[in-house]
Amino acid sequence: MPTAMRAMAADPAGRRLVAVERAVPQPGPHDVLLQVLACGVCRTDLHLVDGDLPPHGTGVVPGHEIVGRVIARGSAAQRFEPGQRVGVPWLGGSCGACAFCGEARENLCDRPVFTGWDRDGGFADYAAADERFCLALPERYDDLRAAPLLCAGLIGHRAWRMAGSGVRRLGLYGFGAAAHLLCQLAVARGQRVYAFTRADDDRTQAFARSLGACWAGGSDELPPEPLDAALLFAPAGDLVPRALRAVRKGGTVVCAGIHMSDIPSFPYALLWGERVLRSVANLTRADGEEFMRLAAELELQAHAQPFALPDANSALQALREGRLDGAAVLVP
């Protein structure tokens, strides 16, 4: 068993990651120790590094889309066998005692533990995780393509469910890692998908159409027909009134990011007509298990661009600049 490992730690003051050598973590009683096989790069990681989210400690190792192989277990960990491949998502623990946990809404836990924010994540050679919050992964996805399922796929699926039933025309604002997976799921379920990107982003619009979107245009445009629901994955608050303008009466707008810039004031007329504006906060373990069943059924085409672990800053910069079709994934 190695005693030291490579890791990329957050330095929000410098808006970057720094290469460090750390001791290989020791698994707690309910933990599994994982050799990291791949770890997706999420926009939340970017918000942590850029200081949009307050640090929960110094020098945390980000990364909450971890695909890893179990190499050791804590004294009470029995769910996964040594050698088994598992996934680690954003929610890494909950208190189990607050009112939200008692209502099966652990995603709103008052004392949560988040992977890559409260405890070190997967931008490293090894990571420890509470096995009770890990997920079994569909075998049909290799390590590179399984990683984006663990946040981009999960949060997209929860936002999609939050839009409610009876949605035939679905708008996706921000066509990145989450939207490119959700577009395929929605099309498979018979929905018409309208993709909204940065103005004049012809490349991403063509990518959206290649995945089944019936229309793709700039986020400053209105779709050719009113939407039943719109999901916002881009962290831009000014998209909220635009999305409200695009949905029909009784339609729903779901904000799916953990961080968003301020929402500007807008006329009440945009909300009137029983339109609904809501947010999505984190995920439950039940969400994860349901989505993995769907992913096993549908064989989603997860587009993933690999980066070596030392090149993690390049992956973040590509995400900042919108140069990715799909997701960035670190491969140690």
Side-chain angles (χ1 to χ4, degrees), residues 53 73 82 125 139 149 153 179 196 207 218 253 259:
L53 296 175
R73 301 187 295 181
D125 291 319
E139 289 297 327
L149 303 179
F196 297 82
F207 180 52
V253 174
H259 169 81

Side-chain angles (χ1 to χ4, degrees), residues 13 18-19 23 50 57 85 122 147 163-164 191 207 222 226 237 250 254 262 266-267 316:
V18 293
D50 286 351
R85 190 181 71 150
Q191 294 175 330
F207 180 52
L222 284 172
V254 182
D262 289 347
F266 55 85
L316 289 176

Side-chain angles (χ1 to χ4, degrees), residues 5 11-12 51 87 94 112 122 144 152 163 183 203 223 254 269 290 295 298 313-314 317 330:
M5 67 177 188
D11 176 19
S94 61
L144 183 69
C183 177
R203 188 198 79 241
V254 182
E290 179 183 348
L298 295 175
N313 282 304
S314 297
Q317 190 61 27
L330 300 184

Side-chain angles (χ1 to χ4, degrees), residues 171-230:
L172 304 179
Y173 284 77
F175 204 86
H180 99 281
L181 292 170
L182 181 59
C183 177
Q184 298 172 61
L185 190 161
V187 169
R189 291 295 185 259
Q191 294 175 330
R192 293 169 59 82
V193 173
Y194 299 77
F196 297 82
T197 72
R198 297 177 184 180
D200 302 320
D201 188 351
D202 297 334
R203 188 198 79 241
T204 303
Q205 291 168 19
F207 180 52
R209 287 191 288 267
S210 75
L211 295 177
C214 66
W215 178 91
S219 60
D220 56 342
E221 301 178 54
L222 284 172
E225 55 183 336
L227 305 173
D228 299 310

Side-chain angles (χ1 to χ4, degrees), residues 123-169:
F123 290 7
D125 291 319
Y126 298 90
D130 188 330
E131 70 160 9
R132 295 170 296 183
F133 290 82
C134 294
L135 295 169
L137 296 171
E139 289 297 327
R140 72 188 330 163
Y141 299 93
D142 62 20
D143 302 334
L144 183 69
R145 289 163 182 80
L149 303 179
L150 287 158
C151 187
L154 290 174
I155 201 68
H157 176 251
R158 184 173 175 91
W160 180 65
R161 286 199 298 106
M162 287 285 188
S165 59
V167 175
R168 294 180 294 114
R169 300 178 298 271

Side-chain angles (χ1 to χ4, degrees), residues 277-291:
L277 176 62
R278 66 185 308 173
S279 69
V280 166
N282 315 313
L283 302 153
T284 67
R285 283 170 281 186
D287 290 329
E289 291 164 0
E290 179 183 348
F291 174 71

